[in-house]
């Protein structure tokens, strides 16, 4: 699943890889064909026998039938009958064409994700390496989340990418997620999931503060959040912070409060050498399109005006699944 990280900063020109260009051309051609078929701009020929289809032809070879438009090619009487694609008489129905196009689009998108030469788009300059020297700096990164399972559900590709690049990763969870009285269970699930995502246990912290309790109707103290984050950054020498954006991906109030708390910290400590990134929220439609969303993510990562935005592909989906599977207390069976 594509995940975009953004930070306000000027961006230099970026080029799409040949693989991306080819797949995008195929995607555009498929979409264009579907549009043409839908509006009758293109139709398919099919053989017709006047007795089998009930058509009557006059002396000039022109097909006639009540309440139905037909046209016969003038150079070959009784040869091919062209009919609007959306009519039910055509052998290839609208449903089958649509299904075929959707499956094709899904497969092309999945191949784009699986065959990516780099989990980071754009790959040059790479995420966290822009403007650095040839010797890559090892960063002390802090992921700040609101509840246990946020790290697996939303940030697994980010954590796996940071670990694969050799960065030092810390995770701070600001509550135990005790809205349903399962705080202790969720705490243990959180530790196990972080281990799967390659975050050392000593670099994982979960809080249970009375003013930071899980709940849609429980607003969090923004100043307290800023203070906690500031102390965590000081103690662990953090130079990179990652968290939710203003919408919080799912719109949960606690997620949004985490974002606001870190914004307060950044405003109050504008002179600090801390780089901050946020996970860009997407619409409900994009969330459930699966690998198809890769095309929009690539587009925004290359052309988002006035900002730098990256798409981090999940190059190890099995680990994401295993990490989320640890949060069994949150499984919902309908």
């Amino acid at each position: 699943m594509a995940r975009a990280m953004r930070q306000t900063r000027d961006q230099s020109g970026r080029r799409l890889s040949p693989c991306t260009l080819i797949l995008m051309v195929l995607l555009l051609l498929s979409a264009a064909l579907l549009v043409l078929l839908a509006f009758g701009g293109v139709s398919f020929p099919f053989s017709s026998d006047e007795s089998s289809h009930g058509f009557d032809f006059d002396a000039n070879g022109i097909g006639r039938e009540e309440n139905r438009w037909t046209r016969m090619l003038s150079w070959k009487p009784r040869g091919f009958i062209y009919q609007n694609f959306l009519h039910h008489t055509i052998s290839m129905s609208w449903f089958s064409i649509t299904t075929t196009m959707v499956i094709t689009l899904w497969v092309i998108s999945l191949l784009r994700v699986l065959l990516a030469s780099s989990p980071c788009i754009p790959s040059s300059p790479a995420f966290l390496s822009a403007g650095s020297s040839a010797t890559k700096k090892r960063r002390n990164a802090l992921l700040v989340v609101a509840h246990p399972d946020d790290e697996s559900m939303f940030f697994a590709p980010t954590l796996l990418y940071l670990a694969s690049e050799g960065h030092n990763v810390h995770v701070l969870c600001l509550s135990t997620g005790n809205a349903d009285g399962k705080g202790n269970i969720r705490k243990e699930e959180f530790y196990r999931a972080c281990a799967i995502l390659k975050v050392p246990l000593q670099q994982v912290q979960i809080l249970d503060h009375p003013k930071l309790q899980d709940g849609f109707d429980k607003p969090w103290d923004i100043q307290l959040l800023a203070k906690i984050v500031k102390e965590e950054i000081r103690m662990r020498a953090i130079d990179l912070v990652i968290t939710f954006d203003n919408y919080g991906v799912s719109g949960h109030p606690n997620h949004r409060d985490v974002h606001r708390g870190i914004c307060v910290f950044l405003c109050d400590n504008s002179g600090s050498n801390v780089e901050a990134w946020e996970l860009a929220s997407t619409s409900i439609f994009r969330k459930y399109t699966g690998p198809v969303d890769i095309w929009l993510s690539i587009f925004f990562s290359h052309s988002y005006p006035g900002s730098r935005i990256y798409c981090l592909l999940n190059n190890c989906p099995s680990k994401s699944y295993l990490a989320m599977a640890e949060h069994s207390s949150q499984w919902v069976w309908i």
Side-chain angles (χ1 to χ4, degrees), residues 195-265:
I196 292 174
L197 296 173
K198 301 181 180 180
V199 183
L201 182 61
Q202 65 272 20
Q203 295 174 193
V204 176
Q205 185 176 6
I206 184 167
L207 305 182
D208 188 13
H209 196 284
K211 293 185 178 180
L212 303 176
Q213 292 298 305
D214 179 19
F216 281 90
D217 58 345
K218 295 181 179 179
W220 287 1
D221 186 329
I222 304 302
Q223 294 297 328
L224 175 61
L225 286 171
K227 181 179 179 181
I228 291 172
V229 171
K230 179 180 180 179
E231 182 63 18
E232 190 73 11
I233 289 174
R234 184 192 66 80
M235 288 178 56
R236 301 183 182 273
I238 299 297
D239 58 8
L240 171 70
V241 176
I242 300 172
T243 192
F244 299 101
D245 68 357
N246 185 51
Y247 183 71
V249 182
S250 65
H252 196 295
N254 298 160
H255 297 180
R256 305 180 76 171
D257 285 342
V258 171
H259 171 83
R260 296 185 185 105
I262 292 180
C263 286
V264 170
F265 161 77

Side-chain angles (χ1 to χ4, degrees), residues 32-221:
L33 177 60
L34 180 60
V35 170
L36 289 172
L37 290 173
F39 288 96
V42 174
S43 54
F44 291 99
F46 63 94
S47 298
S48 174
D49 181 85
E50 63 178 288
S51 60
S52 61
H53 289 277
F55 289 107
D56 182 31
F57 300 93
D58 60 19
N60 297 320
I62 304 299
R64 300 191 306 268
E65 186 184 42
E66 276 191 37
N67 301 322
R68 180 169 294 176
W69 173 84
T70 63
R71 180 183 300 165
M72 173 169 282
L73 293 181
S74 59
W75 70 81
K76 189 175 181 182
R78 306 168 65 94
F80 291 108
I81 295 176
Y82 282 78
Q83 197 162 8
N84 188 288
F85 175 76
L86 295 181
H87 285 180
H88 295 295
T89 55
I90 196 165
S91 59
M92 189 175 292
S93 67
W94 165 259
F95 176 78
S96 62
I97 284 290
T98 304
T99 302
T100 301
M101 297 297 292
V102 169
I103 293 176
T104 301
L105 174 60
W106 198 92
V107 170
I108 291 175
S109 303
L110 182 61
L111 289 174
R112 177 62 185 89
V113 174
L114 296 178
L115 300 179
S117 58
S118 169
C120 178
I121 299 174
S123 58
S124 179
F127 179 49
L128 303 184
S129 299
S132 63
S133 61
T135 304
K136 184 164 52 178
K137 178 183 177 182
R138 188 168 185 255
R139 309 295 295 272
N140 285 327
L142 174 65
L143 171 65
V144 185
V145 296
H147 315 113
D149 79 6
D150 289 347
E151 81 297 334
S152 301
M153 186 178 297
F154 306 120
F155 294 95
T158 304
L159 291 175
L160 291 170
Y161 175 81
L162 292 174
S164 68
E165 292 294 305
H167 297 295
N168 193 29
V169 182
H170 302 259
V171 179
L172 172 63
C173 183
L174 294 165
S175 78
T176 60
N178 197 39
D180 298 322
K182 298 180 180 180
N184 290 331
I185 296 175
R186 297 190 67 183
K187 183 176 181 179
E188 295 303 318
E189 292 173 343
F190 175 70
Y191 285 130
R192 293 196 298 269
C194 285
I196 292 174
L197 296 173
K198 301 181 180 180
V199 183
L201 182 61
Q202 65 272 20
Q203 295 174 193
V204 176
Q205 185 176 6
I206 184 167
L207 305 182
D208 188 13
H209 196 284
K211 293 185 178 180
L212 303 176
Q213 292 298 305
D214 179 19
F216 281 90
D217 58 345
K218 295 181 179 179
W220 287 1
D221 186 329

